[in-house]
Amino acid sequence: MTRRTTRRGALAAAGAVALGSLVGCSRRGREPRFWDDPPSLDVEGVPREFDQPVPNPPRLVPVDVEPAVESAFADRVDRLLSPIPEPLTEERLPNGEIREQIETERAAAREALPGPDESLPPLRAAERYAAARGHAATVVGTWAAVTVEGDPEAVAADIETVLQRASETLDELPGTAADPSAGAAVYGPIERWYDESRRRTLVGGNAGPASRANPLRTGESVGEVERVQSLVEAGRYLRDRYRSSLADPEAVAEPLRREAERVGAKIGERLRELHGGEPDRLRSSPGTEAFLDDRPVARDAPSVSQLSTARYRTFEDLRFDPIPLDDYQPDHPATAFTRTLLARVRFRGLDALASRIEDGEAMFPDDAAAVGAARSAAIESAAALAGSENPLDRWLATQFLPLFAEPDGALAADDRSARSTVEAYTAYRWIETVTGEARTVTESVSDSFESN
């Protein structure tokens, strides 16, 4: 048993007060605060833009979307928007709030449509077309709710039909693939579309447009139904096209289920350590202090703040994701496996970050150049995942690449400060850390697949 694990047991016995004292939570405001007297940093010396671009999302589905299919999706957007007057004047629609939603959503629909020169991976293209169709349906649903020129419920398929189509498609996944890793990368995101629509998007008694009295909410409901319908169509198309491309297909559902359970067991072990052996709280957050050693740490130090942010994101997803912990068995193998894989990588990243804090790392850049260096290191690590031959690495890259948007935006902002600049620096350090840990996890998973 490690020193950290031994201490967990002692902390569990000592109670919440002892836990809080690790980072000064029980000192009633007397704990050290990093930002009371931080080191100096030349904020103006930090670039606002960088030459090194964030890598493009990698391809997960190894087939192309046929031009005729792309045209059909784009044509659906045009047909949805065609009845709406342009420009939409105040005389035609006096209500400014409703008029603003129509104009905003119409612009969003056109912006979401992939341009003729954009080269998008199939899954990303499907999501863009679905977003465009959702925005366009919101426009016409809102318009129909306040005029006599249409029926909101006639814009898209009814919600029960779309839910049924999503369920039928989900039940047929994951099916066959080149191997379990490829199957997880291809089918995991598609399963996730339908799983989320059934559990979050199109659920509840007021989910359909008929239940919405407010025209704004009616339009939004119509848009959500259309967006999910678009994903159903795209998912079926990509599934069939991928399966037809396989030279030697194999069933992957059971291997993915077994590996999700194996990795889930590893996560369960770590959660029990963090919670001091309390099994009924496995999916709840134990607090940042559970990851730290006994040494006093300024609670708002950049490294501790980043640990808290990463912990929050990890446990927020853990609460709802279909991760097999203890006796729970998720219904959909590809979704369960990919979300379990992501959680395992995050936990390894959290432990690695906590170890740096225990070694005295405050994660404050030495100078302005260190911020750019941290970003470059994060991009190189993420790019290695995105360009890997392992489909699981590429799938994980799609989860971590969006994390660059927040720190890049903070550095480009006109009102950036020392604190926001340092927070961007810590975000880059987190991306580098967690993407580095990813390779260790995926290599272990690949070995497990090969041995079974």
Side-chain angles (χ1 to χ4, degrees):
M1 184 175 291
T2 65
R3 177 172 59 87
R4 185 183 297 177
T5 302
T6 301
R7 188 172 64 82
R8 293 292 171 262
L11 288 174
V17 173
L19 268 174
S21 68
L22 292 179
V23 289
C25 292
S26 65
R27 298 185 187 181
R28 303 181 186 277
R30 295 195 302 272
E31 72 277 4
R33 289 179 177 272
F34 181 90
W35 288 101
D36 286 345
D37 185 25
S40 61
L41 175 66
D42 177 17
V43 176
E44 291 305 314
V46 178
R48 294 186 180 277
E49 297 180 358
F50 299 90
D51 293 334
Q52 192 172 10
V54 176
N56 291 324
R59 174 185 286 265
L60 301 177
V61 179
V63 294
D64 293 320
V65 179
E66 296 165 298
V69 174
E70 291 183 329
S71 296
F73 277 85
D75 181 65
R76 171 64 175 167
V77 175
D78 291 338
R79 287 187 287 109
L80 283 168
L81 294 177
S82 61
I84 313 302
E86 190 171 10
L88 185 58
T89 64
E90 183 177 359
E91 290 75 19
R92 189 68 185 272
L93 183 59
N95 188 294
E97 187 177 6
I98 294 175
R99 190 172 64 252
E100 181 182 4
Q101 171 157 301
I102 290 175
E103 292 173 340
T104 300
E105 292 293 318
R106 177 162 55 190
R110 291 168 174 164
E111 183 178 352
L113 273 177
D117 297 328
E118 285 189 90
S119 179
L120 297 173
L123 292 173
R124 181 59 182 146
E127 290 171 343
R128 288 277 295 276
Y129 282 117
R133 285 174 55 170
H135 289 303
T138 300
V139 170
V140 70
T142 306
W143 174 254
V146 295
T147 69
V148 296
E149 298 181 20
D151 176 7
E153 295 183 65
V155 175
D158 65 89
I159 190 171
E160 290 78 13
T161 298
V162 174
L163 279 172
Q164 181 63 30
R165 291 170 181 170
S167 296
E168 291 172 352
T169 310
L170 188 58
D171 290 343
E172 297 173 358
L173 297 172
T176 58
D179 54 60
S181 293
V186 170
Y187 297 125
I190 298 175
E191 281 189 5
R192 181 77 167 170
W193 292 341
Y194 309 140
D195 185 46
E196 286 192 328
S197 70
R198 293 164 69 248
R199 292 190 297 114
R200 302 182 187 182
T201 309
L202 302 183
V203 296
N206 295 322
S211 304
R212 306 297 181 98
N214 186 331
L216 299 175
R217 305 289 83 79
T218 299
E220 292 168 357
S221 178
V222 173
E224 288 287 14
V225 174
E226 175 71 19
R227 184 179 65 82
V228 175
Q229 173 62 26
S230 180
L231 292 174
V232 169
E233 296 169 8
R236 290 179 172 181
Y237 169 78
L238 292 174
R239 173 201 65 191
D240 295 343
R241 189 160 173 79
Y242 171 65
R243 289 179 182 174
S244 66
S245 73
L246 298 174
D248 189 18
E250 62 177 274
V252 297
E254 284 309 308
L256 291 176
R257 194 184 304 278
R258 286 196 306 268
E259 193 59 16
E261 292 174 354
R262 186 188 73 84
V263 178
K266 295 290 185 182
I267 295 173
E269 291 174 7
R270 184 70 185 110
L271 288 170
R272 278 183 280 274
E273 292 175 5
L274 293 169
H275 284 292
E278 299 180 28
D280 58 327
R281 300 182 63 242
L282 287 187
R283 289 185 185 268
S284 63
S285 174
T288 302
E289 60 272 11
F291 290 88
L292 299 178
D293 205 344
D294 295 333
R295 60 185 302 277
V297 179
R299 72 176 185 181
D300 60 344
S303 55
V304 177
S305 296
Q306 181 52 246
L307 179 63
S308 178
T309 298
R311 174 192 57 80
Y312 172 79
R313 289 172 174 169
T314 299
F315 280 90
E316 185 68 11
D317 280 349
L318 188 69
R319 288 174 58 198
F320 302 106
D321 276 348
I323 297 174
L325 296 175
D326 289 341
D327 295 333
Y328 171 61
Q329 294 184 343
D331 294 329
H332 311 297
T335 303
F337 170 74
T338 51
R339 303 308 296 183
T340 304
L341 178 73
L342 176 61
R344 177 64 172 155
V345 171
R346 283 172 164 169
F347 273 107
R348 285 189 62 94
L350 288 169
D351 286 337
L353 182 54
S355 294
R356 293 181 179 181
I357 297 173
E358 292 172 351
D359 290 339
E361 172 66 79
M363 221 172 266
F364 191 97
D366 293 332
D367 51 35
V371 179
R375 185 179 185 276
S376 294
I379 285 182
E380 290 175 6
S381 185
L385 277 186
S388 171
E389 293 184 359
N390 188 335
L392 301 180
D393 288 336
R394 297 198 298 274
W395 180 82
L396 286 167
T398 66
Q399 306 303 299
F400 296 127
L401 286 172
L403 298 182
F404 282 97
E406 186 175 347
D408 282 0
L411 294 183
D414 293 335
D415 61 346
R416 68 179 184 177
S417 62
R419 188 158 189 167
S420 65
T421 301
V422 172
E423 288 173 348
Y425 171 79
T426 65
Y428 296 138
R429 296 285 300 276
W430 166 250
I431 296 171
E432 179 195 7
T433 299
V434 74
T435 52
E437 294 295 328
R439 301 297 288 269
T440 301
V441 176
T442 56
E443 288 172 4
S444 170
V445 167
S446 297
D447 291 342
S448 180
F449 279 139
E450 291 178 3
S451 63
N452 287 305

